[in-house]
Structure formats: structure tokens, C-alpha cells
Amino acid sequence: MRVVVIGSGIVGAGAAYHLTRRGAAVTVVDAGCQGGATRAGAGIVCPWVDHPEDDDWYRLTREGARAYPALVEELGEDIGYAKVGALLVAEDPVDLEPVRALLRRRHAAAPEMGDVVDVHTPTELFPPLSDGLSALLVPGAARVDGCSVRDALLRAAMAGGAQVRTGVATLTPDGRVLLYQAEGSTQWSPAVAAAPPAEDEPASWRQAAPLSAAPAAAAPASPEALRLTGEGVPVEADMVIVAAGAWTGEVCRPLGVELPVFPRRGQILHATMEGVDTAWWPIILPRTGPYLLGFPDSRVVVGATVEDVGFSPRVTMGGLDEVIEAGLRVAPGLFNATVTETRVGLRPVYAPGRALIGPLTDRVIVATGLSAYGLTAGPFTGEVAAALALGETPPLDIAPYAPPR
């Protein structure tokens, strides 16, 4: 079975990995567009606090989180995965009661979240936090390094015979793949180590609800913007998986389908606290506002903005101001931390709501729309897409995520 995977983010890399493990001949093609979501993701794996009124969304993210320990063991290398727990914090303890009830309701079917407990002195676990915050600890929450996961998946796929090619993959109306070279793209190298929800939409603990339609100001990103050169070279494939993130709608347009997938920009910053061991600090999830989490090397990640501004992967003064101001409100102890890096990514959002996974035609599978949950559910979504491409029964009922046909 020959399978072309369009897109080498965490979903595409996950698909390639699972395909090669099943003996498929895999070619991964990526245009190297700026703004891919995987690199900019913070790395929070804590699905149990979100999507209180959408069991299908929650089921996908829960299974994605549940699959990580086995994946870490299979890959056999450090991908930044660690169960550090998550502190849900609020100034008023009353604000924690809805999420406490949600976690209690979900615990029986997801015991991996651990036993949720009150933490009376959150600063003992995350010293920069503001005094006086109330907190719940979800001990099963984990953090992961998105770039490390994606690169490890691609390396493993290549070890299994997969080819990774840089260029713009376009589809013909019958689902064949043509590969064009493009100027300005970035080659992958294996050495590379909130807006409030509308009143009528159910609130999640930390993520703005998806829009009901793509914003009118968001013009679609076109592969032609990369200045295609030469003639398209056919890439032979029995099946195609399109995992092109926010660019998926444009890639699939030649098939005669209009997929309302659009980008939601997220700006994030990395800061260091010299001489401080932050490796095992828990994830901080306020009721509203920024998240914070620690990594090795005295690093703290703060983010992220939630911006519907089209295909504009730029770090802005306003975005950084929002992240810094909100971060210091929750954790004033970060005031003297050194800002070492800023990142920006375009999260792929499927306008009707939840993720988009399933067959578009008899030979084309689509897998995108994970929004802010790409690092939680990305590798597992790739596994689902791989099973569909190979004609197998996927490890999850895809009916709630299937595209219109």
C-alpha cells in the first residue's frame, strides 16, 4: 500500500509513523509554510477539564492523552513527556466548583487523571504564583515537547522506510498528487532536536469556543503564494492523507469540496529563571487567561493568545503585551524572568466545531481541526487516519468527526 501524507506536523508525522509500522510505503510531503501549529504548541496534555458539553470532542482528546505512555515507550527516546500534574487556579474558590464537579463525573471512565485534591499553598508547587490563589491538583496531567514528538515520529517513520520530501503537494480532481518545488519553504531536518465564549456556547475551562463560521477577514492561504516552480511531478499513491493543518481546506479544494478550516493564531513566549529548577513544576491552568508550565533548563512557557486574524503568523507587540500582562497577574514571581524566545502558530480550526477526521473521497482521508488540542490528540489522530487509509477499523468511532460527503 502506497500512502502519501500531505503535512508533516504532529498529525501527519503520527500518521506516517503508524503507517510504516503496518508496512505501508509512505511519502510525507510538506510545503514548509511558516506558522505551523506544532512548533508553537505549549505541550499541555490535560483533556479532562475541557469540553464539558461535548462528549465527542472530549473523547478524542481523552484517547489522545491515554495513548501517550505507550507511544513514549515505543519511540524509546526523550520527547519531553512528563506527568507533572496540573494546578487549576482561581482567586475565588467558588470558581473551582464547576470543574471539580466535571472531574468527579469523568473520573470513573478516566482514572488516569489521578485523584483530584485541593492544594492550600499552590506556591509550594509553582513558586512564582500569586499568593492567595485557590487550586485543585490534577496529578495525571502531563506536558510534552511538540517539536520533539513530531521529530521522533518522523525519524521512526524514516527508519521504517518513509520518505520525507519538501515541496507543495496539490491534488487533482480525482485525488492524484502532484509535487511542486517552491521558493521560500523550509526543509525539515531530523537533527532539529482568550476570547470569551459566546453566551449561548458551553464554556470550557481554559479554551475559547470555536467560531460558528470562518471569519470573513481570513483569506485562505494558497500554496501558489509560495511561487511554484517547474512542472508538478506525480507522486504515486493508493491513498492520500491530508494533514495540512490550517491549509487543509485549500489543499482539498481541487476535489470539489469546500472545507471551512481556518487559522486561529496563538502567540506564546518562553522565559528562563536562571538557577531555578523548573523541570517538575505543574501546569498552571487559570479559569480564564494564560496557562503556564515548566520545562527543563529553567524554562517557563506562558501563553497563548487566541486571535482570528487569518494567515498571519506574526509575533505582535499587542500579542506579547497580552501574554506578559496576563502571565504576571497569575504569576508575579516571573517579573525578573528572561524572555528567551517567542513563538507563533496557526491552530487549525474546523468551523462547525470539533475536529475533522475521515474520508473525503475513496482515496483521500482528511485529518485536521484539532485547534488548541493538537499536541494532546495529534499522534492519536494520525493513528486513526492511518487505519482509515489502510482500510482498517480505526481505534475510535469517527462518525462525529467525519466530513460531509
Side-chain angles (χ1 to χ4, degrees):
M1 173 73 77
R2 300 166 301 176
V3 184
V4 170
V5 179
I6 300 177
S8 69
I10 198 164
V11 175
Y17 169 74
H18 287 287
L19 285 165
T20 55
R21 279 173 60 87
R22 290 163 169 80
V26 179
T27 301
V28 180
V29 181
D30 193 274
C33 295
Q34 295 183 353
T38 296
R39 180 181 177 275
I44 297 170
V45 183
C46 184
W48 315 287
V49 300
D50 289 320
H51 305 117
E53 305 300 329
D54 193 331
D55 289 342
D56 293 318
W57 236 133
Y58 167 63
R59 190 174 301 110
L60 176 63
T61 57
R62 182 193 66 194
E63 294 306 309
R66 188 172 283 169
Y68 258 109
L71 180 64
V72 172
E73 185 175 352
E74 290 170 7
L75 292 173
E77 60 177 284
D78 182 9
I79 58 172
Y81 180 84
K83 285 191 176 182
V84 295
L87 281 178
L88 315 181
V89 300
E91 295 181 0
D92 187 341
V94 173
D95 290 338
L96 295 173
E97 293 311 307
V99 74
R100 187 198 302 272
L102 176 66
L103 292 168
R104 186 181 298 119
R105 172 164 61 87
R106 288 176 167 175
H107 187 276
E112 63 271 16
M113 74 171 66
D115 294 330
V116 179
V117 296
D118 289 277
V119 176
H120 300 292
T121 313
T123 52
E124 291 182 358
L125 299 179
F126 198 103
L129 284 177
S130 173
D131 292 331
L133 290 174
S134 297
L136 296 177
L137 175 65
V138 184
R143 50 99 171 139
V144 68
D145 185 289
C147 291
S148 296
V149 179
R150 177 249 197 182
D151 288 356
L153 290 167
L154 285 179
R155 279 193 294 267
M158 292 173 70
Q163 297 183 25
V164 179
R165 303 175 66 177
T166 300
V168 177
T170 66
L171 295 175
T172 63
D174 61 352
R176 292 181 296 110
V177 179
L178 297 176
L179 177 63
Y180 292 83
Q181 295 304 309
E183 300 176 14
S185 61
T186 302
Q187 177 107 22
W188 175 80
S189 169
V192 174
E199 293 182 0
D200 59 346
E201 293 175 323
S204 279
W205 175 253
R206 62 180 177 89
Q207 298 293 349
L211 300 184
S212 58
S222 171
E224 284 73 15
L226 288 174
R227 299 190 301 276
L228 303 185
T229 59
E231 296 184 1
V233 177
V235 183
E236 297 299 325
D238 302 299
M239 294 295 294
V240 179
I241 295 175
V242 180
W247 293 267
T248 297
E250 180 69 16
V251 172
C252 294
R253 184 164 288 118
L255 299 174
V257 296
E258 292 293 329
L259 298 178
V261 178
F262 66 93
R264 176 165 285 160
R265 186 168 72 188
Q267 300 183 53
I268 191 171
L269 68 83
H270 292 231
T272 56
M273 302 185 70
E274 186 174 354
V276 179
D277 183 7
T278 59
W280 292 96
W281 285 5
I283 302 160
I284 303 300
L285 299 177
R287 175 63 187 89
T288 58
Y291 51 72
L292 304 94
L293 62 160
F295 280 88
D297 303 323
S298 303
R299 181 161 50 106
V300 176
V301 175
V302 187
T305 61
V306 180
E307 306 171 80
D308 294 318
V309 294
F311 286 87
S312 180
R314 299 185 298 115
V315 176
T316 66
M317 295 284 285
L320 288 184
D321 178 69
E322 175 186 334
V323 171
I324 292 171
E325 189 275 332
L328 290 178
R329 186 172 61 248
V330 175
L334 294 175
F335 186 83
N336 286 317
T338 302
V339 176
T340 53
E341 185 180 4
T342 58
R343 299 184 184 184
V344 60
L346 302 177
R347 311 178 187 98
V349 177
Y350 183 47
R354 58 182 71 103
L356 177 63
I357 310 167
L360 284 179
T361 71
D362 292 341
R363 60 183 290 138
V364 178
I365 307 295
V366 66
T368 190
L370 295 182
S371 186
Y373 302 92
L375 298 190
T376 300
F380 179 73
T381 299
E383 181 180 4
V384 172
L388 292 171
L390 297 176
E392 301 175 357
T393 300
L396 183 76
D397 178 12
I398 65 162
Y401 324 102
R405 296 190 68 179

